Amino acid sequence: MEDITSKEINDNIKYLRLLSQQYPNISSTSAEIINLQAILNLPKGTEHFLTDIHGEHEAFSYVLKNASGVLKLKIDDLFGDILNNSEKKALATLLYYPEEKLEMIKKNEDNLENWYKITLCRLIEICRVVSSKYTRSKVRKALPKDFAYIIEELLHEDENRLNKHNYFNKIIDTIIDIKRADEFIIETCKLIQRLAIDRLHILGDIYDRGPGAHIILDQLMERDSIDIQWGNHDILWMGAAGGSEACMANVIRISTRYANLETIEEGYGINLLPLATFALRFYGGDPCTQFKTKFPKKIHFGERDLDLIAKMHKAIAIIQFKIEGQIIKKSPQYNMENRLLLDKIDHENNTIIIKGKKYHLNDTNFPTIDPSNPYELTKEEKSLVKKLKVYFLNSEKLQKHTKFLYSKGSMYLKFNSNLLYHGCIPMNQDGTFKKVTIGEEKYWGKNLLDKFNHLLTEFYFNRENIDERLFGTDIVWYLWCGENSPLFGKDQMATFERYFIDDKETHIENKNPYFKLRDDESVCRYILEEFGLEPDTSHIVNGHVPVKTIKGESPIKANGKMLVIDGGFSKAYQKKTGIAGYTLIYNSYGLRLASHKTFESTEKAISEEMDVLSTMVGLEKVNRKYVGDTDIGEKLKSEIRDLEMLLTAYRRGLIKENP
């Protein structure tokens, strides 16, 4: 504090006077300095990284509850020599699913009171360990309201200490005697789950094929410390929620493609009856063969329902192609003219010309397309789009989730020497950043992602600025499928071709050079430098493209500088990947990569005490890190400096104390 000068205080006097309202005297200021200095010396909190969840809420919930194996390791460390494997599995399952596991135990346990005593003591022991990285104040804020005082007492008392032995045991006995053991166990298990992870990182694609994206977002909103890096499927839903008709059509098309209507209808209360009515009217006699769901055996629909969904699927797909065509025609800067295909159809010969080559169409029923004006919506289509748009804009839950995605989300994040993003940084073949024109300016690298971040915020929140909003509406759709989108990363989205042309050469979507270049350590160092990170001590954490482990591909690339953790959360990808996803753990000792087995069901995880964690591999060990070594630590050091200035100002009489 000796280096704080009067000039420094005078230069910051207005801010210090404001700060003095919170810390009105020497005593309160000193206490906070001591508190913050102490926090700097706590071990760094554990970070948990997940990506590409794709609506698989049961598998996601399980991984979140077990913290990708962190809690299993805690049980092994604490009870490795005390419990056998069966007992440890039972305790772990109780931690993950306390309500369900308790019901099973109460039916099968002969001496329930004894089980309660043993289990309560074990849970308190685990809770002590996972809470040891935090201040009492932070733990206190996480405590369940009904049991806050009791848990706090148990956490900070040693049952083996003679003077407190009876006190500790009496608390446990009384919890059981007054029949509050079940509730206490449930709340303690949930507390342990929360304290096991200090920070949760979601690297995009919460939405897509699985049925429970809305459930996942409800769970995420319960977390205090969380950030989200938007994925292409998230942007699609955010665009639909903000009124983009192209995004809305894509959202509905994908939902019907996988016969996954739960999120739209049950999750967000969006009425698809108008679409069903429209589809029956115009496609009632059409078998819509190319639009049948891809996973009929895994979906609990009857044949008639699946037939109707296929008709809805085709109806919304044609509407999507029309709306997208209108955007492309008015936005030449997107360079997407090659995606204008409806006007290339020869309706007499049932063929289409793509890139100068003629292909046969496998479906020729286009009752709503006017060959002379193929991108014009019919009167009925316009009415349908208008209704659906109103439903999306007025879905209270969808709007709540979208605002949450904006408040916690961004295109990328720098956090504790890790660069997090979902898709890619658009690059040229030579390894340089690709320059992308937006409006009249060119953007690349970090500035490109910053620009898209700004435009997305304008799109959703700045509704009164009509010009920006229209531009933003197009941009949010472009981020879904545009060649230079960091969230898409391909030269085209061949949706039309996959539906209507059997020749698979038309289905090819070439990836941006980034996806080959990212294997090169020098390229990763180049990216890290672009984002202001030290390449020697930093990593890139990436998702979006599933790692094909079954073919020998590794999630660890570029000598460990690049970690790709999309390993197949979505069941649709698991045949290609061979596993059910990667997750990453970063604690005070270093980075660890967890791979997961296929998650079959919550019921099986509970009844058979299945553990989907396959392996956990240490990627990088470091000298133990403390809060002072983190980004939060840097902020705390800055706060300490401000408080030291205030303390000096009090002592020199430059600011008066308030008792």
Side-chain angles (χ1 to χ4, degrees):
M1 285 180 54
E2 290 76 11
D3 61 343
I4 295 175
T5 65
S6 295
K7 182 180 184 305
E8 188 177 0
I9 293 172
N10 288 328
D11 288 344
N12 293 279
I13 196 69
K14 288 184 179 179
Y15 167 67
L16 293 175
R17 286 194 175 118
L18 285 172
L19 190 61
S20 71
Q21 295 177 17
Q22 187 174 358
Y23 304 100
N25 48 50
I26 289 175
S27 178
S28 60
T29 307
S30 299
E32 185 62 9
I33 291 172
I34 294 167
N35 175 48
L36 296 182
Q37 286 284 12
I39 291 172
L40 292 176
N41 291 280
L42 285 170
K44 171 195 171 298
T46 300
E47 299 173 54
H48 194 189
F49 302 73
L50 299 91
T51 187
D52 295 272
I53 304 159
H54 292 296
E56 298 290 351
H57 65 283
E58 287 194 348
F60 167 78
S61 179
Y62 186 85
V63 170
L64 201 63
K65 288 172 183 290
N66 72 16
S68 284
V70 167
L71 289 178
K72 183 181 177 184
L73 290 175
K74 299 295 184 190
I75 291 172
D76 286 338
D77 290 342
L78 283 169
F79 308 111
D81 298 327
I82 301 170
L83 305 180
N84 60 37
N85 287 334
S86 177
E87 290 170 326
K88 285 188 280 189
K89 284 175 67 176
L91 180 57
T93 306
L94 177 69
L95 267 180
Y96 311 154
Y97 296 104
E99 296 100 325
E100 296 87 345
K101 190 62 178 175
L102 269 171
E103 289 303 312
M104 294 177 61
I105 288 167
K106 286 160 71 176
K107 290 176 183 177
N108 301 313
E109 182 61 49
D110 294 330
N111 190 341
L112 190 60
E113 183 174 337
N114 187 57
W115 181 88
Y116 277 139
K117 287 182 180 180
I118 294 170
T119 301
L120 286 167
C121 290
R122 287 172 180 168
L123 290 177
I124 290 299
E125 189 64 25
I126 298 170
C127 199
R128 276 202 195 108
V129 172
V130 296
S131 65
S132 62
K133 286 186 175 182
Y134 309 117
T135 63
R136 284 198 182 191
S137 174
K138 185 167 182 174
V139 173
R140 193 175 294 125
K141 290 174 184 176
L143 295 175
K145 184 179 178 182
D146 288 350
F147 299 105
Y149 172 76
I150 299 169
I151 293 176
E152 189 169 12
E153 284 292 293
L154 292 173
L155 286 179
H156 299 110
E157 295 299 344
D158 183 358
E159 70 271 28
N160 296 316
R161 203 165 43 170
L162 183 60
N163 291 340
K164 289 289 187 175
H165 180 77
N166 291 338
Y167 173 74
F168 184 95
N169 286 337
K170 194 59 182 178
I171 292 176
I172 298 294
D173 289 341
T174 305
I175 291 169
I176 298 167
D177 290 343
I178 64 173
K179 302 189 183 306
R180 293 283 280 166
D182 284 7
E183 292 86 350
F184 190 88
I185 287 171
I186 290 167
E187 292 300 332
T188 304
C189 288
K190 291 180 178 178
L191 175 63
I192 290 167
Q193 291 175 22
R194 289 194 296 272
L195 294 176
I197 297 298
D198 187 42
R199 180 89 176 198
L200 182 62
H201 305 287
I202 305 293
L203 277 78
D205 278 1
I206 296 165
Y207 289 94
D208 189 19
R209 305 174 179 197
H214 56 292
I215 299 171
I216 293 168
L217 277 157
D218 281 341
Q219 290 178 305
L220 294 179
M221 290 182 73
E222 295 175 357
R223 310 289 296 201
D224 293 326
S225 187
I226 179 174
D227 53 74
I228 299 166
Q229 293 71 58
W230 301 317
N232 50 320
H233 286 280
D234 305 321
I235 289 298
L236 197 60
W237 280 84
M238 291 160 67
S244 166
E245 294 175 357
C247 289
M248 179 186 71
N250 271 282
V251 161
I252 299 172
R253 178 185 62 79
I254 292 169
S255 297
T256 53
R257 176 179 170 82
Y258 296 100
N260 167 28
L261 306 182
E262 289 98 325
T263 297
I264 287 184
E265 293 186 321
E266 297 173 21
Y268 293 132
I270 292 168
N271 183 9
L272 293 182
L273 181 60
L275 174 60
T277 303
F278 175 90
L280 285 172
R281 177 180 174 185
F282 288 94
Y283 299 93
D286 188 337
C288 298
T289 305
Q290 303 301 321
F291 295 85
K292 298 287 186 183
T293 180
K294 298 296 180 183
F295 301 101
K297 293 180 182 178
K298 296 182 180 180
I299 296 169
H300 303 294
F301 282 112
E303 195 59 39
R304 290 181 63 183
D305 290 330
L306 289 173
D307 183 64
L308 174 58
I309 292 170
K311 298 181 193 307
M312 294 163 65
H313 184 185
K314 183 174 181 179
I316 199 66
I318 298 299
I319 290 171
Q320 173 193 315
F321 298 140
K322 289 185 177 184
I323 294 171
E324 291 178 338
Q326 293 173 16
I327 293 174
I328 293 167
K329 290 175 76 174
K330 74 174 183 179
S331 306
Q333 71 271 23
Y334 291 162
N335 295 316
M336 294 178 70
E337 288 78 9
N338 66 322
R339 304 313 305 146
L340 292 171
L341 299 178
L342 297 186
D343 59 324
K344 309 299 190 299
I345 297 174
D346 183 338
H347 291 269
E348 291 185 4
N349 297 305
N350 300 327
T351 59
I352 187 170
I353 301 292
I354 298 179
K355 297 178 182 178
K357 187 173 179 179
K358 184 182 291 186
Y359 296 94
H360 179 74
L361 294 171
N362 57 31
D363 184 338
T364 58
N365 184 39
F366 301 109
T368 66
I369 293 179
D370 178 0
S372 64
N373 193 6
Y375 299 105
E376 178 71 18
L377 293 171
T378 65
K379 181 176 72 173
E380 293 84 0
E381 286 173 328
K382 287 178 182 177
S383 175
L384 173 61
V385 169
K386 185 177 180 180
K387 286 179 183 177
L388 292 172
K389 186 174 177 178
V390 169
Y391 297 152
F392 273 83
L393 289 173
N394 288 288
S395 169
E396 184 178 347
K397 191 165 189 176
L398 175 59
Q399 296 303 326
K400 181 174 73 171
H401 284 170
T402 301
K403 287 175 182 175
F404 173 75
L405 286 167
Y406 271 104
S407 67
K408 298 295 184 180
S410 57
M411 292 290 293
Y412 68 92
L413 179 70
K414 296 188 294 181
F415 196 85
N416 290 342
S417 297
N418 289 316
L419 175 61
L420 285 56
Y421 53 82
H422 175 75
C424 71
I425 311 298
M427 304 188 85
N428 300 307
Q429 293 285 356
D430 63 0
T432 57
F433 295 121
K434 189 171 186 181
K435 295 183 178 180
V436 179
T437 301
I438 300 177
E440 298 180 356
E441 301 290 332
K442 289 187 181 295
Y443 300 86
W444 62 91
K446 178 179 178 295
N447 287 337
L448 176 64
L449 272 66
D450 287 337
K451 180 63 177 178
F452 280 136
N453 211 98
H454 168 73
L455 288 172
L456 282 167
T457 304
E458 287 287 309
F459 157 70
Y460 190 73
F461 291 105
N462 194 9
R463 296 171 188 265
E464 295 180 2
N465 189 334
I466 296 175
D467 291 338
E468 278 289 331
R469 177 160 167 70
L470 290 174
F471 187 49
T473 299
D474 296 344
I475 282 289
V476 73
W477 168 77
Y478 181 87
L479 280 167
W480 159 245
C481 61
E483 179 179 4
N484 297 315
S485 165
L487 303 179
F488 179 50
K490 297 179 183 178
D491 64 343
Q492 65 176 0
M493 187 174 284
T495 307
F496 180 93
E497 292 91 330
R498 288 195 298 270
Y499 285 132
F500 293 103
I501 303 173
D502 291 332
D503 192 329
K504 291 189 177 180
E505 74 171 9
T506 65
H507 302 183
I508 296 172
E509 300 170 345
N510 296 304
K511 294 176 186 174
N512 185 271
Y514 164 89
F515 291 101
K516 287 185 178 179
L517 293 167
R518 70 181 181 180
D519 290 343
D520 187 329
E521 183 180 354
S522 65
V523 171
C524 291
R525 295 175 73 90
Y526 174 53
I527 293 172
L528 289 166
E529 287 175 348
E530 167 70 8
F531 283 82
L533 290 168
E534 170 52 54
D536 289 339
T537 56
S538 302
H539 307 83
I540 298 169
V541 187
N542 200 182
H544 188 50
V545 177
V547 177
K548 296 178 181 178
T549 308
I550 199 170
K551 293 186 176 181
E553 185 181 357
S554 172
I556 307 166
K557 302 178 184 296
N559 293 326
K561 288 294 162 192
M562 169 74 68
L563 307 171
V564 182
I565 60 171
D566 180 5
F569 241 116
S570 173
K571 292 177 182 176
Y573 293 125
Q574 288 170 11
K575 285 186 179 180
K576 296 179 180 179
T577 62
I579 63 169
Y582 290 107
T583 53
L584 190 67
I585 293 293
Y586 182 24
N587 62 18
S588 58
Y589 292 104
L591 286 161
R592 290 187 294 184
L593 184 73
S595 63
H596 301 272
K597 297 176 185 176
T598 300
F599 183 87
E600 295 188 33
S601 69
T602 299
E603 183 181 355
K604 198 162 186 177
I606 298 166
S607 61
E608 299 184 16
E609 297 177 343
M610 301 288 289
D611 196 328
V612 299
L613 182 70
S614 177
T615 57
M616 185 176 280
V617 179
L619 300 179
E620 182 178 271
K621 288 186 177 181
V622 296
N623 292 329
R624 195 171 198 195
K625 286 184 176 290
Y626 295 87
V627 173
D629 302 316
T630 67
D631 291 351
I632 290 173
E634 290 304 311
K635 292 179 182 177
L636 294 180
K637 289 173 187 176
S638 177
E639 291 177 22
I640 290 169
R641 179 68 180 181
D642 293 340
L643 288 164
E644 287 176 342
M645 276 197 291
L646 178 60
L647 186 59
T648 303
Y650 282 140
R651 287 174 174 167
R652 294 179 184 175
L654 298 173
I655 295 177
K656 301 297 183 184
E657 288 186 81
N658 287 316

